[in-house]
Amino acid sequence: MISTRHLIPFLLILLMTISANASEDWRIRVDEQVKLSRTAMRADTAGVLTISIMLKKNGDEKDRDSTLTRLFCEGDVQVNEALNDDGLWEEISREHSPADEVRESSLLSMFDVRNSEVFTLTEGGYDDDSHLIVTFEPVYPADSLYTGVAHIDTSAWFPVRMEMTMSELPDQVKEMAMVAVFERDGDGVYRPSTISTDGHAKWLLLNFYFRTETQFKW
């Protein structure tokens, strides 16, 4: 029988163990769904419409341009094609991208358990839609790693919305804010739907205010 003297330390250790297991449990669930999504996307072709908008300082639109590309994988190679002026798809890049590779700079990399020592994830309650709020930040900030907050649908254990920026902005970029939205497809798997970015950059004496709107069709 545990004496009163030893009861409190015992309960504290038990509570810490339960809390650790609960935290690990949600992270494993999200990791599984992110891997499922990654596998599904590798089997798909994504049509990507990117609208680039230059803004005036007050936020009014100055001009815009758009490009239509598509991404798909051939084995361990990711192919990027663009629609040319003749209406034909033209290859613009090929990149080695093995199926089991998880880049620290990718959009959902912070939820891969293999990156648990790269990013710190912290639970923060629930939003108005009952989504679990999780903040994320890299242990060592860099201009290739994201920091921000994710809203996780606990019925599917997938981040349906992420609000983020680079943890360390490049020298020319003074401000940047990104919002990524994920939607469930007909097969029940979540994929990126839209990514929007607003930013302010400065080069020499010139200030640039910009917005990009990226739409994915799988």
Side-chain angles (χ1 to χ4, degrees):
M1 183 175 180
I2 300 176
S3 66
T4 305
R5 177 183 175 185
H6 298 99
L7 181 59
I8 293 178
F10 172 78
L11 290 176
L12 287 174
I13 292 173
L14 180 61
L15 180 60
M16 290 173 64
T17 302
I18 293 173
S19 298
N21 289 338
S23 179
E24 188 69 13
D25 182 64
W26 76 258
R27 187 160 188 171
I28 290 174
R29 287 171 182 246
V30 174
D31 171 74
E32 291 172 348
Q33 294 305 311
V34 167
K35 287 178 179 175
L36 180 63
S37 176
R38 187 182 296 121
T39 299
M41 287 189 291
R42 288 186 67 89
D44 283 347
T45 295
V48 186
L49 174 63
T50 302
I51 303 171
S52 303
I53 305 171
M54 294 298 294
L55 301 171
K56 300 177 182 178
K57 187 175 182 179
N58 63 1
D60 291 341
E61 183 176 322
K62 186 185 299 184
D63 58 66
R64 68 166 56 200
D65 187 23
S66 63
T67 58
L68 184 62
T69 59
R70 66 179 183 182
L71 296 170
F72 58 91
C73 288
E74 294 180 347
D76 284 346
V77 176
Q78 185 181 70
V79 183
N80 188 7
E81 297 181 337
L83 198 64
N84 62 25
D85 294 336
D86 297 324
L88 301 174
W89 290 105
E90 181 178 347
E91 184 176 307
I92 57 177
S93 68
R94 281 179 171 260
E95 187 175 4
H96 187 60
S97 178
D100 60 350
E101 180 182 52
V102 180
R103 299 180 181 178
E104 297 175 358
S105 59
S106 62
L107 191 60
L108 294 167
S109 62
M110 65 289 299
F111 295 109
D112 194 297
V113 294
R114 287 173 287 182
N115 287 331
S116 59
E117 295 184 359
V118 180
F119 293 91
T120 299
L121 278 67
T122 307
E123 298 173 64
Y126 293 84
D127 63 17
D128 293 339
D129 295 315
S130 299
H131 294 150
L132 176 65
I133 298 174
V134 174
T135 59
F136 53 89
E137 59 180 346
V139 175
Y140 300 105
D143 61 10
S144 60
L145 302 178
Y146 295 111
T147 183
V149 60
H151 301 257
I152 297 175
D153 178 0
T154 56
S155 68
W157 294 105
F158 199 93
V160 294
R161 179 182 173 89
M162 297 172 63
E163 300 154 9
M164 55 197 160
T165 186
M166 307 311 298
S167 58
E168 190 174 88
L169 294 176
D171 291 340
Q172 291 80 12
V173 179
K174 305 306 175 184
E175 298 176 79
M176 188 179 73
M178 299 174 60
V179 176
V181 176
F182 300 81
E183 293 183 354
R184 188 180 289 177
D185 212 335
D187 58 2
V189 178
Y190 275 97
R191 295 170 174 81
S193 174
T194 61
I195 299 177
S196 59
T197 304
D198 285 271
H200 169 211
K202 188 173 183 180
W203 185 71
L204 298 178
L205 298 178
L206 300 176
N207 280 295
F208 300 91
Y209 297 88
F210 60 89
R211 175 179 300 139
T212 60
E213 300 173 356
T214 306
Q215 303 169 11
F216 296 84
K217 184 176 181 181
W218 300 88

